[in-house]
Amino acid sequence: MHPDVKEILLTAEQIRALVAGMAERIAADYRDREPVLVGVLDGAVVFLADLMRALPIPVRVDFVKWSSYADGSSSSGEVQLLKDLSFSVEGRHVLVVEDIVDTGLTLRYLMENMETREVASLAVAALLDKPSRRKVAVKLDYVGFEVPDEFVVGYGLDYAQRYRNLPYVAVLKPEIYRAA
Ligand code: PRP
């Protein structure tokens, strides 16, 4: 275990099982449709990479990137679109792929943005959900795991751009982010 980690919430093995289960549900729901998986950079890359390989159906993949919140660890203000999709999703079935939904602000902006593009359908797959921190209501169609209100890192999730490469989801020791 990484020395900055207090506790592992999801082991690599548990994540594999969650991703496989979610992929099964998505594959069944989209068996007659070819979804466009829209990964939200940067955090969702690890989850998206595993999810797309677990899906036995044809998919397209694209990415968007929003500006991060200024203070790094809490979700406060406005976000801006830094990287847009590379191709049109008009008439397509968009499945937004997020690593975590916290306040819901990022997702709300993204959903509003996607709704302007005349998509055929719009749904959300989030590996982690932290409902205790929600500021705006968002509908999650596929959720892997509900996390407590703690600072979680790993499997794509960062603190100050670090820990994304940990193969598990873990709670960071408070002294690590308090010291910053
Ligand atoms: C994280 C995560 C979500 C967002 C969720 O991204 O990947 O996109 O925060 O938080 P919210 O529900 O409070 O909006 P972050 O802004 O940290 O950028 P990153 O993906 O590059 O780490």
Side-chain angles (χ1 to χ4, degrees):
M1 189 161 95
H2 192 289
D4 296 351
V5 159
K6 185 176 93 174
E7 174 196 357
I8 293 178
L9 282 182
L10 289 174
T11 64
E13 197 62 37
Q14 289 169 320
I15 296 170
R16 253 192 299 280
L18 287 174
V19 172
M22 192 185 292
E24 207 171 299
R25 297 197 297 280
I26 292 170
D29 293 349
Y30 287 85
R31 63 188 173 278
D32 300 323
R33 301 177 283 170
E34 184 187 77
V36 181
L37 307 181
V38 173
V40 184
L41 296 172
D42 299 325
V45 286
V46 181
F47 175 42
L48 178 57
D50 282 347
L51 182 66
M52 65 195 272
R53 285 178 294 176
L55 283 170
I57 56 166
V59 297
R60 296 175 193 224
V61 179
D62 206 345
F63 296 93
V64 291
K65 183 173 172 65
W66 296 90
S67 59
S68 286
Y69 302 106
D71 59 7
S73 68
S74 74
S75 305
S76 46
E78 295 266 312
V79 291
Q80 290 172 332
L81 194 60
L82 295 181
K83 186 225 167 284
D84 202 353
L85 294 173
S86 310
F87 58 85
S88 169
V89 289
E90 188 179 331
R92 297 199 180 280
H93 299 280
V94 169
L95 179 60
V96 170
V97 178
E98 262 289 23
D99 50 338
I100 187 166
V101 179
D102 191 329
T103 64
L105 286 168
T106 305
L107 193 56
R108 187 184 62 178
Y109 283 109
L110 180 55
M111 298 305 268
E112 285 175 359
N113 182 284
M114 289 295 143
E115 276 159 11
T116 65
R117 302 176 194 236
E118 298 182 34
V119 295
S121 69
L122 187 55
V124 180
L127 178 69
L128 306 176
D129 183 17
K130 200 192 269 184
S132 54
R133 299 243 314 149
R134 203 72 97 243
K135 286 184 180 168
V136 293
V138 283
K139 180 173 170 277
L140 307 181
D141 301 272
Y142 307 93
V143 177
F145 188 74
E146 205 172 284
V147 289
D149 188 10
E150 299 213 62
F151 205 95
V152 291
V153 295
Y155 198 71
L157 286 87
D158 75 310
Y159 170 65
Q161 300 302 335
R162 299 178 64 207
Y163 311 107
R164 292 193 199 274
N165 58 322
L166 297 179
Y168 46 79
V169 173
V171 178
L172 205 55
K173 285 179 181 166
E175 57 263 37
I176 302 299
Y177 53 89
R178 277 199 208 120

